[in-house]
Every structure is written in structure tokens, then in C-alpha cells.
Amino acid sequence: MRYKIVAGNWKMNLNQNEAIQLTNDINQYLSNNNLPKQVKVAIHPPLPYLANCVNYISEKNNAVFGVGGQNCYTQTSGAYTGETSPEMLKDIGCQYVLIGHSERRKYFNESHAFLAEKVKKVLETGLTPIFCCGEQLDIREAGTHEAHVGAQLRESLFDLSKEDFSKIIIAYEPVWAIGTGVTASPEQAQDMHAALRQLIANQYDKDIAENTTILYGGSCKPANAASLFSQADVDGGLIGGASLKAESFTEIIGIMAKCLSA
Ligand code: PGA
């Protein structure tokens, strides 16, 4: 099934109490509101708080509400000081992990090949990778954004078997829209999502393309979520700033639910 997902990327924000409170508030919202069955919610807290956040999700919400890492390494265990394996994330109850966020690509020089290794390892472990892609402003202005993002998928994902690829979630996040307050227009988002779906259909098949969840990320907030989520190929959002407050994040979840019933 092509899930609709509202995922929060908390980045390096919040303290422990705030992280627990926010998880609790989202959990409460989900306990009080029944979402359409294809909608899922995920949060990506900072690593030190992950296990704690998992514990604040009530059993009833387990099927809907998942926790994910913001990053992971390519190995299971060993002498890799400072790194976290997908197995460790799984062990503490994570379901998802972000791979290739533009901030990882920019500040930590993560290459296509390294991201391909991570995705493979995450899939082997049984976690769901949320693979982030997106172009910088100069690439958008040059008009080569579809080729650029297409290459990110081709280089890091297209070695996967059909079966493996069908387990992946993609998040299109134009770098110029992340944390800037500038959002891609619904048309810009739709055009890119449709282009990526076509690329996936060409590489794999139409069925797999139709079933791939493609999220939009970049200054998504309550004020623009409805126009983005109502686009045919936009399956939800990866939310940064607006995921740090229960009010705005749960409002976005509500908007997703409403878009489906409209
Ligand atoms: P933003 O971040 O919503 O604050 O723009 C999105 C992201 O980086 O995933």
C-alpha cells in the first residue's frame, strides 16, 4: 500500500524533557483521533532521546506512530567510535531511519556510494529507510533539478532489487526550501514527485512506482500543508521546524487526514 506519512525531523533540537513531552502530546493526539488507515506518523528525535521517546508511544498507537533515527552507519558493530548501527536502532524499537538528508550530505560529505551502502544495510536490518534527495538553488535556477535529483536516486538506490526498492520511502526536499521559510509551490513539488515516480516506473515498473511513498520536505507547515498534500504525487511530508511543536505537527497530521477524506 502507498502510505501517507507525516514525519517529524527534530534535527539537533530539544532537551530530554521537551522530547518526552512532545512525544507524549503527539501520542495523545493519536489516541484521540482515528486516522485513515493508510496514514502513518513518524518522529525522528536526536539519538540520545530515541529509546525514551519509543517508550512514550502507547501500544494502541504502535501500528500508526513510529520512531526513527536521523542517521546510521553501514556496519553492525565494531570499532567505529561515535557511530550507531541500524541493528541498534532496531533493538531500541525504531522503525525508520533518515538517509542522505541534505545536511548530512553538506556537513558530513556523505557520497552517493556511502548512502547506497547505508540504504542496503538498513534494509537488511528490517528498518525502513526514508531516503532524502533534493537540489540546491543554483541547480533549480539552471533548470537541471530533475536530472540532479534523478541522479541521486540512480546512484544510491537503483542497484536495489525490486523487492528491496519497494520497501523504501523517498523524501524530496529542495535544499533552498529547508529551514528558509520558502516552500516549493505545490506545482513545483508535484512536478518533481511525478518525475521521480516516472523514473522509478522506468527503472522498475509502474506498480512499484505507484506504490512508492514520496514525501515533500522544506518549510512545510500548517499554512501550506493542504495545498502540498492535495497534489496527486505528494504522499505527505518530512517536517523540520514545524515538527518541534505539538500544536503545529498535529495540525499537519490532521490536514493529511482531511486531504484523504476530501
Ligand atoms: P524544515 O526542514 O521543515 O524546517 O524546512 C525540513 C527538513 O530538513 O527535513
Side-chain angles (χ1 to χ4, degrees):
M1 188 196 306
R2 180 155 140 202
Y3 286 107
K4 304 286 176 176
I5 302 177
V6 179
N9 175 10
W10 296 0
K11 308 191 182 186
M12 201 172 72
N13 292 299
L14 306 182
N15 63 31
Q16 180 163 227
N17 284 340
E18 291 164 340
I20 289 170
Q21 186 64 50
L22 182 51
T23 309
N24 234 334
D25 290 346
I26 300 165
N27 187 62
Q28 195 61 48
Y29 172 87
L30 294 173
S31 297
N32 296 339
N33 294 274
N34 278 329
L35 300 179
K37 67 176 186 323
Q38 67 269 49
V39 178
K40 304 256 187 212
V41 174
I43 51 171
H44 296 265
L47 183 65
Y49 311 142
L50 277 177
N52 227 335
C53 291
V54 169
N55 290 331
Y56 281 81
I57 296 178
S58 52
E59 226 178 291
K60 178 183 169 273
N61 290 331
N62 261 341
V64 176
F65 189 11
V67 175
Q70 297 176 11
N71 179 37
C72 68
Y73 196 48
T74 57
Q75 306 296 319
T76 303
S77 62
Y80 303 103
T81 302
E83 292 299 322
T84 305
S85 70
E87 283 84 350
M88 291 168 178
L89 295 177
K90 191 173 180 204
D91 192 27
I92 59 164
C94 286
Q95 291 178 32
Y96 304 96
V97 57
L98 300 180
I99 299 290
H101 190 279
S102 62
E103 287 147 19
R104 304 261 358 138
R105 294 176 191 260
K106 179 176 173 193
Y107 299 123
F108 305 96
N109 298 318
E110 296 194 350
S111 67
H112 295 316
F114 187 43
L115 297 177
E117 267 187 75
K118 288 193 188 198
V119 167
K120 275 206 186 101
K121 180 69 182 163
V122 168
L123 287 167
E124 272 168 33
T125 309
L127 294 175
T128 301
I130 301 181
F131 180 81
C132 305
C133 55
E135 81 285 355
Q136 290 83 355
L137 186 59
D138 56 334
I139 294 171
R140 167 65 61 168
E141 285 172 350
T144 53
H145 43 286
E146 283 184 12
H148 180 86
V149 178
Q152 291 177 326
L153 262 62
R154 204 171 300 114
E155 298 287 326
S156 297
L157 301 181
F158 283 179
D159 271 350
L160 296 171
S161 67
K162 271 188 184 180
E163 198 196 334
D164 276 345
F165 188 87
S166 64
K167 295 174 186 154
I168 282 187
I169 293 166
I170 290 175
Y172 167 59
E173 301 200 298
V175 179
W176 46 271
I178 295 179
T180 57
V182 180
T183 319
S185 69
E187 295 72 28
Q188 286 173 321
Q190 169 57 25
D191 285 352
M192 180 61 87
H193 285 225
L196 294 180
R197 213 177 286 289
Q198 187 57 51
L199 191 67
I200 296 165
N202 296 345
Q203 176 68 22
Y204 292 96
D205 61 43
K206 198 158 181 290
D207 237 36
I208 290 188
E210 279 307 314
N211 282 306
T212 302
T213 296
I214 308 180
L215 310 179
Y216 168 81
S219 299
C220 182
K221 47 186 182 266
N224 56 31
S227 57
L228 289 160
F229 296 171
S230 55
Q231 300 301 311
D233 288 292
V234 177
D235 302 314
L238 180 54
I239 323 290
S243 73
L244 294 172
K245 292 252 167 7
E247 219 174 52
S248 44
F249 190 63
T250 56
E251 196 178 341
I252 294 172
I253 298 169
I255 291 168
M256 179 81 261
K258 225 191 242 158
C259 282
L260 284 174
S261 45

